[in-house]
Amino acid sequence: MKRALIILLSVVIAVIISGCSKEMTPEERFSQYVKLWNDQKFDEMYGFLSEKAKDSISKEEFVSRYNKIHKDLEINELKVSYKQPEEEQEHEENAELPFSAKMNSAAGPIEFDHNATLVKEEREKETNWYVDWNTSYIFPELEAGDKISFKNVQAERGSILDRAGNGLAINGTAVQVGVVPGELGEPKEKTITKLAELLEMSEEQINKAMNAGWVKPDLFVPLKKVSKTNKGLHEKFICARRSDQPDGGGSRVSLRRGFVPLDWLCRSNPCR
């Protein structure tokens, strides 16, 4: 009885030792690497690199490159997918394992498929599988000396033309002409008459704009947009002279650039 018990314990211990000493497959090893990648634990990922890969890049450079690319491209929702095969495959010294990567970035969604190469190496008397990494694992077309840059470029609106090719809505910089009601001075009717003449508008149109429900004495009331290149109209405003106020006082007309604020406030008679 005692002898039988000893034999049984020996078998159990042998099974446990056998299970503990089972060599990890490249599929299992790469699954661990992918988990670290999805968690963006780049420093731990470096420990999975092959000796050849480590010779090409230091741990500091490896971690810094991943962090910089993720930061500069504003990468989020990273999802690296690798599905282990249902049946265990035999590999001798290396293994090719397909994976997919998806992510969102400042430039839009990024998605690619790639193959990972794992090589068997012995370190500290233990054999395991290591990722034969290169820069194509970041993006397939990225080579060792390549750098990634990202720049925002403001889109230009399309032009709208009539049948004859004349512009109905075109790109350009406009100056907005308007008034601040509380600074029109007296008599303001005379200023409105002059404005109507310069802007080729009716006095009724100007009064209607100034009498809108939202208007307050200290608010700018836009009247008309004119092209920045219309120098003739600009000079008319800058050099308009009020005959009844030769000292340079009087009402004020504001010119504002359409896209970039421009503090360009001109009195109706600034020229001497």
Side-chain angles (χ1 to χ4, degrees), residues 88-133:
E88 188 174 313
Q89 300 179 6
E90 292 186 5
H91 305 282
E92 294 184 2
E93 299 299 324
N94 57 66
E96 292 284 333
L97 305 178
F99 70 90
S100 300
K102 296 181 182 180
M103 64 200 80
N104 286 330
S105 73
I110 299 175
E111 182 176 347
F112 64 87
D113 297 321
H114 199 43
N115 286 334
T117 301
L118 276 76
V119 294
K120 186 185 290 187
E121 293 181 356
E122 184 178 339
R123 298 182 187 177
E124 299 178 358
K125 298 182 179 180
E126 289 187 9
T127 302
N128 211 332
W129 293 90
Y130 295 89
V131 181
D132 202 22
W133 182 93

Side-chain angles (χ1 to χ4, degrees), residues 176-184 188 191-192 195-196 199 206-207 209-211 214-224 237 251-256 265:
Q176 192 171 62
V177 183
V179 296
V180 178
E183 298 181 10
L184 278 180
K188 67 178 182 180
T191 302
I192 292 173
L195 273 174
L199 294 176
I206 295 176
N207 283 318
M210 291 174 55
N211 292 327
W214 61 269
V215 174
K216 294 182 179 180
D218 59 341
L219 293 181
F220 175 80
V221 180
L223 297 177
K224 188 173 185 178
F237 273 98
S251 59
R252 187 164 69 177
V253 176
S254 299
L255 305 183
R256 297 185 180 180
L265 300 177

Side-chain angles (χ1 to χ4, degrees), residues 62-267:
F62 179 85
V63 174
S64 174
R65 183 150 203 187
Y66 268 102
N67 282 329
K68 189 174 188 313
I69 287 175
H70 279 238
K71 181 181 177 181
D72 290 352
L73 294 184
E74 300 176 17
I75 288 175
N76 58 70
E77 298 183 23
L78 173 67
K79 180 62 178 176
V80 183
S81 304
Y82 167 70
K83 186 177 180 180
Q84 290 194 45
E86 295 180 0
E87 296 183 3
E88 188 174 313
Q89 300 179 6
E90 292 186 5
H91 305 282
E92 294 184 2
E93 299 299 324
N94 57 66
E96 292 284 333
L97 305 178
F99 70 90
S100 300
K102 296 181 182 180
M103 64 200 80
N104 286 330
S105 73
I110 299 175
E111 182 176 347
F112 64 87
D113 297 321
H114 199 43
N115 286 334
T117 301
L118 276 76
V119 294
K120 186 185 290 187
E121 293 181 356
E122 184 178 339
R123 298 182 187 177
E124 299 178 358
K125 298 182 179 180
E126 289 187 9
T127 302
N128 211 332
W129 293 90
Y130 295 89
V131 181
D132 202 22
W133 182 93
N134 57 57
T135 50
S136 67
Y137 284 63
I138 302 176
F139 299 118
E141 296 180 0
L142 186 66
E143 297 184 2
D146 292 345
K147 293 184 178 180
I148 295 176
S149 62
F150 174 74
K151 185 168 84 172
N152 278 320
V153 178
Q154 186 174 359
E156 184 175 295
R157 292 184 178 183
S159 300
I160 301 176
L161 308 176
D162 62 15
R163 293 180 180 179
N166 299 313
L168 299 176
I170 59 175
N171 294 305
T173 302
V175 173
Q176 192 171 62
V177 183
V179 296
V180 178
E183 298 181 10
L184 278 180
E186 295 295 340
K188 67 178 182 180
E189 291 80 10
K190 200 166 186 178
T191 302
I192 292 173
T193 300
K194 185 64 176 178
L195 273 174
E197 177 187 339
L198 292 171
L199 294 176
E200 298 179 353
M201 297 174 65
S202 68
E203 293 181 33
E204 289 75 19
Q205 289 175 302
I206 295 176
N207 283 318
K208 182 178 179 181
M210 291 174 55
N211 292 327
W214 61 269
V215 174
K216 294 182 179 180
D218 59 341
L219 293 181
F220 175 80
V221 180
L223 297 177
K224 188 173 185 178
K225 285 183 180 179
V226 296
S227 170
K228 180 185 174 184
T229 59
N230 191 343
K231 295 182 180 180
L233 184 57
H234 298 175
E235 291 172 0
K236 286 181 183 179
F237 273 98
I238 295 172
C239 298
R241 186 182 293 271
R242 293 277 304 276
S243 59
D244 59 332
Q245 292 181 331
D247 59 347
S251 59
R252 187 164 69 177
V253 176
S254 299
L255 305 183
R256 297 185 180 180
R257 188 175 296 178
F259 303 116
V260 180
L262 177 65
D263 297 327
W264 185 12
L265 300 177
C266 312
R267 291 190 180 277

Side-chain angles (χ1 to χ4, degrees), residues 11-23:
V11 172
V12 171
I13 291 171
V15 169
I16 292 173
I17 293 173
S18 175
C20 292
S21 61
K22 181 185 177 183
E23 187 176 290

